[in-house]
Amino acid sequence: MRTIVNTPATGDVAFRELDAPVPAAGDVLIDVKAFSVNRGEILNLPGNAEGWRPGWDVAGVVAETANGFTAGQRVVALSLADGSWAERIAVPAGFVAVLPDEVGFAEAATLPVAALTALRLVRESGSLLGRRVLVTGAAGGVGRILVQLASAAGAEVTAVAGSAERAKGLTGLGAAVVVTDAADAEGPFAAVYESAGGVSLAAALELVGPGGTVFSYGNSSGEPTPVSFFQFFGGHEQAVLRHFVFVTGAPVDADLAELAGLVGSGTLSVEISYRKDWEHINEALAAVRDRRVAGKAVLTVG
Ligand SMILES: NC(=O)c1ccc[n+]([C@@H]2O[C@H](COP(=O)([O-])OP(=O)(O)OC[C@H]3O[C@@H](n4cnc5c(N)ncnc54)[C@H](OP(=O)(O)O)[C@@H]3O)[C@@H](O)[C@H]2O)c1
C-alpha cells in the first residue's frame, strides 16, 4: 500500500510502500479517497520521527463488511492513531459515520478535525443566543465552520482574519463584524475562540467580558503570550481562560453523522480552496503553512 511518511531531515514528507493495515476487532477497514490537511498535523511533523505516518481526517469506502458497516459504503472517519495519508486505514467503528449521498469525499474529508472542533466549541459554550463572540483564525479550517455554527446558534460573531483578502466570504458565513487584528475587536465578548496564540491570546484576555470564557485551543503563531493575570482581574470578573481539546477518546460517530447531515442539507458550507491529487502533498503543506489556503486543503487519493 502507498502511504505518506514523515521525512524530517528534508522538511517534507515522502511516499513509501508499506504493508496494508490488518484491522483489529472493532475496526472498520477503509479505502481512503480523500483527506484534508490540518495545521496541527503540520505542527506535529518536525517533532516526530522519520517514517511516522500523519493524518487524522478520512473520507472513503468501506473495504470489508464488519462491525455494522458494509463493504462499499461511503464513510467519513477520524483516525486518532494518525496514518490517514495512505491508500487504506483501519479505524475503530465508533469513529466512523456513513456519508449521505449528497456529500462528496472531498467535502467529507474537511469535517473530522475542523468541524468536530467547531461543533464541540459551540456546544461547550452554553446558549449563544444573542451573545457576542470572537473567533480568531476565522479564515482557516476550524474558523470558517465555527463562524457558521456560532452564528446559527444565535451569536453575534466578530471574526478575525489576517487581511481583507483572507476575510473574503466570512460575512456571508454569518460574521456580523470582521477585523484584521484581534486588538481592533470591540469587546466585551461572552466567548472568545482563540487559536492564533501569542499577542492574539493576550488581546482575547482583554476582550472577554465578566463571566465569559476564552477557549484557547491552538497556537498557530507558535509565539508565547505575554499575560498579566493581575490585569485580567480588572473588568473580567469570573472570566475563565480554558484550554480546549476537541476529543476525549470517546466515540465521535454521532457528531460526524450530524455534521455530514448539515453539509448534505446545505446548512453547513465547507470551503475548499485547495483540492489536488495527493501527489501534491508537499505543495499543499506549504500552502497551509504559509496561510495561502482559505478554509481547507483537500488531497484526493487514487
Ligand atoms: N485543541 C484542539 O482540539 C484543536 C483542534 C483543531 C485545531 N487546533 C488548532 O487550532 C488552530 C487552527 O487550526 P486549523 O486547522 O483551522 O488551521 P488553519 O486552517 O491553518 O487556520 C489557522 C488560521 O489562523 C490564522 N493565523 C493567525 N495568525 C497566524 C500565524 N501567526 N500563523 C499561522 N496562522 C495564523 C490564519 O488566518 P489568517 O492568515 O487569515 O490570519 C489561519 O487561517 C491550529 O493551531 C490547530 O493546531 C486545535
Side-chain angles (χ1 to χ4, degrees):
M1 150 184 104
R2 253 182 124 214
T3 185
I4 290 172
V5 299
N6 192 24
T7 53
T10 65
D12 279 340
V13 295
F15 283 89
R16 197 161 291 169
E17 200 66 39
L18 294 178
D19 290 342
V22 177
D27 279 355
V28 180
L29 198 59
I30 301 169
D31 285 326
V32 180
K33 299 294 180 193
F35 59 84
S36 78
V37 171
N38 295 286
R39 182 166 293 273
E41 291 157 332
I42 296 175
L43 294 172
N44 283 346
L45 286 172
N48 274 286
E50 155 81 29
W52 173 67
R53 296 177 45 208
W56 294 315
D57 294 338
V58 187
V61 174
V62 175
E64 291 173 1
T65 298
N67 297 309
F69 290 86
T70 309
Q73 263 179 329
R74 300 166 69 257
V75 291
V76 58
L78 172 72
S79 173
L80 284 185
D82 309 306
S84 74
W85 299 358
E87 286 178 318
R88 189 171 262 202
I89 188 165
V91 181
F95 293 77
V96 185
V98 174
L99 276 180
D101 291 343
E102 312 80 54
V103 183
F105 290 125
E107 287 71 26
T110 67
L111 298 176
V113 172
L116 281 174
T117 302
L119 179 74
R120 290 171 167 202
L121 279 165
V122 168
R123 280 214 193 118
E124 287 293 309
S125 306
S127 172
L128 289 179
L129 194 62
R131 304 179 83 187
R132 303 185 70 241
V133 306
L134 181 70
V135 178
T136 67
V142 178
R144 284 190 185 252
I145 297 178
L146 191 46
V147 167
Q148 293 177 72
L149 295 181
S151 160
E156 183 194 309
V157 179
T158 297
V160 187
S163 65
E165 177 66 24
R166 301 279 296 151
K168 272 189 186 152
L170 288 173
T171 306
L173 295 179
V177 179
V178 180
V179 294
T180 52
D181 187 334
D184 293 339
E186 204 171 306
F189 295 100
V192 182
Y193 306 108
E194 213 301 297
S195 63
V199 293
S200 179
L201 176 55
L205 292 171
E206 287 299 311
L207 291 164
V208 67
T213 303
V214 175
F215 292 90
S216 169
Y217 71 95
N219 186 14
S220 298
S221 68
E223 296 293 331
T225 299
V227 179
S228 160
F229 276 101
F230 193 70
Q231 202 172 340
F232 185 49
F233 297 157
H236 313 278
E237 287 77 10
Q238 308 297 334
V240 173
L241 168 59
R242 177 176 165 187
H243 178 237
F244 177 87
V245 179
F246 83 108
V247 275
T248 58
V252 300
D253 49 349
D255 284 354
L256 276 179
E258 180 176 341
L259 289 162
L262 291 176
V263 174
S265 64
T267 311
L268 180 67
S269 91
V270 288
E271 177 158 358
I272 301 172
S273 67
Y274 183 106
R275 182 194 310 219
K276 287 191 182 179
D277 183 87
W278 70 329
E279 300 295 340
H280 297 271
I281 181 69
N282 284 311
E283 180 190 274
L285 296 180
V288 174
R289 196 183 281 126
D290 299 343
R291 298 159 76 170
R292 285 184 274 118
V293 174
K296 296 293 292 178
V298 171
L299 284 308
T300 53
V301 179

